Amino acid sequence: MSGLMPRFRSALIWVSCLLIALASWRFLLLGVELSMPFVAYHALERPLAFYAHIGLAPVALALLPFQFWRGLRQRRPGLHRWLGRGYGLAILMSGLGGLVLAIGSTSGAVPALGFGALALLWLGTTGRGIWLAMRGRMTEHRAWMIRSGALTFAAVTLRLYLPFLFATLGEDLGYTIVAWACWLPNLVVAEAILRRNRKRPVGQPA
Ligand code: HEM
């Protein structure tokens, strides 16, 4: 019974990351105009940033559950390192793209600031996490990658909250709120996980 909740939570994370990553690549089959008309203007005005973002951010999201899978990390550390390089590179390019999209967004200053801050923190936490891994500082690496993962997961929380916020607050206010709400609570949860892990006796699994 005690193992049921963590398993259910982990299944939800796997399914939501992989489904949203796959759904994000719908533009490859349908084209941008048809599959995401509300952001199609970015494809004309800043195509490099746009395609780097929508092509590569889903790579980071799809890799996320693999990187947090303890069994894989323990059995195949080499694979974890290679997938980690892919995760970092995907975030470097799609995060810079996301920053350019946020600056060029026509949705208003408050949502643009929310997405801009998210992009900077995404790049910063991931960069710091990888830098620490390269220096063998694995406890700190783990902490910063938990923060990075919480921000990558914003792609999921955004799409969970958006229909509810649009229905209750309307599109303008709903979008303004989701630009912050998709990641700030995720970071709070990440900090709570880190705090809980710090209190755990050494050797007990996370
Ligand atoms: C975590 C940092 C992220 C930031 C700062 C960010 C930022 C943005 C911005 C500013 C836009 C354009 C929205 C607009 O102009 O109104 C956008 C669109 C998009 N982003 Fe991200 N994003 C992030 C993560 C992700 C991830 C991890 C995915 C993976 C699925 C993703 C997939 C997309 C897609 C597919 C679009 C096109 C619109 C849509 O289908 O929702 N983004 N993003």
Side-chain angles (χ1 to χ4, degrees):
M1 185 66 189
S2 64
L4 212 61
M5 262 316 281
R7 267 192 206 173
F8 179 65
R9 201 172 49 204
S10 145
L12 270 184
I13 292 174
W14 274 92
V15 170
S16 59
C17 288
L18 294 179
L19 275 184
I20 301 247
L22 279 177
S24 297
W25 282 316
R26 67 195 183 279
F27 76 96
L28 291 172
L29 285 177
L30 303 168
V32 168
E33 279 290 344
L34 198 67
S35 62
M36 38 186 84
F38 44 97
V39 289
Y41 67 99
H42 287 304
L44 298 173
E45 292 171 20
R46 46 197 74 83
L48 184 63
F50 182 69
Y51 288 108
H53 186 72
I54 63 167
L56 293 173
V59 173
L61 186 63
L63 287 176
L64 185 68
F66 289 94
Q67 291 304 83
F68 281 90
W69 177 9
R70 193 185 318 141
L72 186 73
R73 282 201 312 269
Q74 285 169 352
R75 280 195 302 273
R76 306 283 307 274
L79 183 61
H80 174 76
R81 281 196 285 273
W82 273 108
L83 295 182
R85 288 182 190 113
Y87 176 84
L89 216 60
I91 290 179
L92 178 62
M93 290 189 272
S94 67
L96 288 173
L99 184 62
V100 173
L101 296 187
I103 293 167
S105 174
T106 55
S107 52
V110 182
L113 267 176
F115 284 127
L118 170 60
L120 289 173
L121 288 170
W122 201 33
L123 290 162
T125 52
T126 311
R128 174 108 183 112
I130 293 176
W131 184 85
L132 288 161
M134 287 160 65
R135 273 146 195 84
R137 290 160 61 177
M138 299 320 283
T139 308
E140 294 160 276
H141 163 65
R142 190 169 171 277
W144 283 92
M145 292 323 276
I146 286 176
R147 295 183 178 111
S148 162
L151 296 177
T152 306
F153 201 68
V156 173
T157 40
L158 179 136
R159 285 158 184 87
L160 278 180
Y161 305 155
L162 206 55
F164 172 76
L165 289 173
F166 273 9
T168 51
L169 302 174
E171 293 200 357
D172 284 350
L173 185 57
Y175 199 71
T176 301
I177 289 182
V178 89
W180 296 88
C182 70
W183 61 272
L184 270 173
N186 295 15
L187 263 195
V188 173
V189 171
E191 293 307 320
I193 292 172
L194 291 173
R195 191 173 284 244
R196 190 195 60 188
N197 287 354
R198 271 197 291 271
K199 283 194 191 135
R200 248 196 194 106
V202 178
Q204 201 172 317

